[in-house]
Amino acid sequence: MDEMEEELKCPVCGSFFREPIILPCTHNICLACARNILVQTPDAESPQSSRASGSGVSDYDYLDLDKMSLYSEADSGYGSYGGFASMPTTPCQKSPNGVRVFPPTVPPQPQQHLLPIPGGLPPIPRNSCITCPQCHRSLILDDRGLRGFPKNRVLEGVVDRYQQSKAAALKCQLCEKSPREATVMCEQCDVFYCDPCRLRCHPPRGPLAKHRLVPPAQGRISRRTSPRKISTCTEHELENLSMYCVQCKTPVCYQCLEEGKHSTHEVKALGAMWKLHKGQLSQALNVLSDRATEAKEFLVMLRNMVQNIQNGVEFEACLVAQCDALIDALNRRKAQLLSRVNKEHEHKLKVVRDQISHCTVKLRQTTGLMEYCLEVIKENDPSGFLQISDALIRRVHMTEGQWGKGTMTPRMTSDFDLTLDNGPLLQSIHQLDFVQMKGSSFPAAPILQLEECCTQNNSATLSWKQPPLSTIVVEGYILELDDGNGGVFREVYVGAETICTVDGLHFNSTYRARVKAFNGSGVGQYSKTLIMQTSEIAWFVFDPASAHPDILLSNDNLTVTCNSYDDRVVMGNTAFSRGVHYWEITIDRYDNHPDPAFGIARGDVLKDVMLGKDDKAWAMYVDNNRSWFMHNNSHTNRSDGGIGKGATVGVLLDFTRGILLFLLNDEQQGPVAFEGLEGLYYPAISVNRNVQVTLHTGLPIPDFYTPGDPDPNGSVC
C-alpha cells in the first residue's frame, strides 16, 4: 500500500489529511490548510450574488485570475492582494510540497465583517477567497465560510486505516511545528494531546474536568469502533442526507427537495446510487487493473531488452576481427568504428532505461490510485462515497487512457543493425563506414491479421503485422484497395500504424485489399490479398456519444426524445458519402405541436439548436399542418401537410444525383429539398421533450424513385 500514500497527503502541508474538506473542483484539502490559504478580496470585486456555496460545483463562480491577480504562472504560487492600504502585502510561506501558502493570521477587520466558524477558531473575513492548490481554480466563500464545504469522511477513514496499518506513533493534533508524540486522547473532544498541549489547551478544571482522558492506543480503538456520524446537509444542518440529485451529482436532504434549488431536479435513492457508483468504480478498476498487469509484463520485457542489449558484444567482436584483418591501414579506422558502436549501444540503453523509469513511475501512480479506490469502496458511508465517486471514476478512466496505444511499445529495438562491408580496396579505406547488407534491407511482406479485419456498413477495418522473425526496420506501410468492382488498386493509407479503417466505401460491393511495408532502402513485397464484402444496405442507430446531453435514447438507441423544451440534435452512428440511402422515422408521441426536424448533417453540426439553423445541416422541419426546408437558418418551400402520432417521415439521400428529398406518410413532401450535395454526411434529427420518434433503417428505396447514374470518378473516403 506504499504507492497509495501520496493519495492520502494534503497538497498544502504535505502531511496526511486531517479533517479534509471537498472543494467544488473535487480536490481535497485539510480544514486548517484551507484557512491558511484564504485571501480576502475587496468588496467591490465580490458581489454577494457570486458567493460560493458548498451544495454543488455549479454554484461556484470562479474568479478571473488575470483580473484578480491571485495566481502567478511564473512561480506557480499564490500571492496576496496589493494596492490596498488596509491590506499590506504579506510574504508567503512554502509547504513541503512546494505550494506557497499564507500565514494563518489575518488582518484585523471590523466585527460586522467577520464570519464565525465552529471549533473556536478565529472568524473568517467576509469576502474571503480560496484557490485550489492543485488545479488553481478560485472561488469566493459565502456566509457559511468553510462550513459550506462537505467533509470527506471516506478519506478520513482511509487515512486512519492506513496509519494504523503502518503502526505509526500517534502525534499530537495541536502542535504547530514538529508534532510531539501524543500521550492522551480526550474522548469527548476527540483530540490527541501531548503533555504540553494538554496542560495549555485542556486543563483539568471547569467543564473540561469531566472529560475522560485515555491512552492514545485506547483512544484510537474507541474512535475506530465508535458509530459513524449520520451525514447532514450543508444547507440545512438539522436534516440528514437521504436522496441523491442526479443533475447536481450530490446528496441532498428532504428540505432541499421541498424548498431548495433541487425541487425540480431528478432525484434517486441514496442507497441505490451508492451501489451504482460503487459498481461503476469497480468496473473501471477492473480495466485499470488489466492495464497495470500489462504494464508489469511490459516492464519485464524492457528489462530483458536491457539484458539483450548489454549482451550484444558479438558486434564489437566481429568489428575487431574485421579491422584486425586489414592490418595497419585499418587500425586508425577501427577505433572510430568502435566508437560508433559504443554510442549506438549507449543510446539504446539510455532510451530503454528512460522508458523503464517513466513506465515505473506511471505504474506506481496507477497502483496507488487502485489501492486508494479499493479502500474507498470498503467504506460504508453512502453520501460520503458519492461525494467523491464521480471524481474517482473520472480519474480511473483518465489513468486507464494514459496506458493507451503506444505507451507500452518499446521505443528502441535491442537489435544492432550494423554490418561491416569489408570489400573496398586499401586505397579506399578512409571511406569505410557501416552499411546495411542490400540483400536483406528491404522489409518483409506484412501478415494480415484476419481475426481483426472486418466490415461494417460501408466501412472496412484492416489490421496487419510484421512477420515474427523479421529484424528489418520498417518506417511505414502502404494500404491499397481496388474500386470495389475489380478495378485497379489505389493507395488509401500511408503511415506507421498497423490498423486502418476506410470509410465511405460503396454498399453491397466486394473490395480487394493488400498492404506492403517500406523503409529507407525501398518498398517490400505485398501481403496476401484480402477480399471483403460491404453491407447490402445501411443499418445504423442514433449515436449517444455525439448526441446533446439532453437527448434521451432507448430501444437500443433507435428511439429518441429529449428532457428539454429546447430543440436538441442527435446524429446517426454511420456516415454516407456514396450511393443512395433511405431511412424512416415514425412519430411515437406528439404533444403541444412541436417542430421536429429531420435530415442530414456534418460531424461538427451545432447540437443545441434546431437542425438546419447552421450551415452544417440540411433539414425539413414540420408541425401538425405544414413543413419547411431549412439550411443555414434559411426557410424555403413551405408545403401543406403535417405530422401527428403514428405519422412516418422518410429521408432519401442520393449521392449519384447529389440531392436530398423527404417523404411524409409514403408520399413525397414538396420538391427536391437540396441539390449539389457531396462529401460526408450523417443522418440527423432534432427534437424536444414534446415529441418521441423511432428510427427504421435498412429499408429499400421507394418504388416511385429511380436512382441516377453512379459517379465514375468517386474516391475512397
Side-chain angles (χ1 to χ4, degrees), residues 706-717:
T706 302
D709 295 330
D711 180 8
N713 298 318
S715 59
V716 176
C717 296

Side-chain angles (χ1 to χ4, degrees), residues 631-686:
H631 168 65
N632 200 16
N633 205 25
S634 175
H635 310 249
T636 61
N637 296 100
R638 167 179 163 178
S639 302
D640 292 332
I643 60 173
K645 182 178 179 181
T648 299
V649 176
V651 182
L652 196 154
L653 176 61
D654 185 354
F655 283 102
T656 62
R657 295 180 178 176
I659 63 172
L660 177 69
L661 57 87
F662 298 91
L663 287 80
L664 185 57
N665 295 326
D666 298 326
E667 294 185 2
Q668 184 171 338
Q669 180 74 354
V672 172
F674 302 101
E675 297 177 320
L677 298 175
E678 59 182 14
L680 196 67
Y681 300 89
Y682 291 83
I685 68 170
S686 64

Side-chain angles (χ1 to χ4, degrees), residues 3 13 25 98 105 111 232 353 372 392 468 512 523 543 603 677:
E3 291 87 350
C13 64
C25 55
T105 58
Q111 188 65 30
T232 58
R353 284 170 174 165
Y372 171 57
L392 284 179
R512 296 178 299 157
V523 180
D543 183 16
L677 298 175

Side-chain angles (χ1 to χ4, degrees), residues 518-549:
F518 64 87
N519 60 15
S521 299
V523 180
Q525 297 294 316
Y526 283 108
S527 67
K528 293 183 178 180
T529 300
L530 177 66
I531 298 177
M532 310 182 76
Q533 175 72 37
T534 57
S535 302
E536 293 186 7
I537 52 178
W539 297 87
F540 61 93
V541 297
F542 291 120
D543 183 16
S546 62
H548 190 278

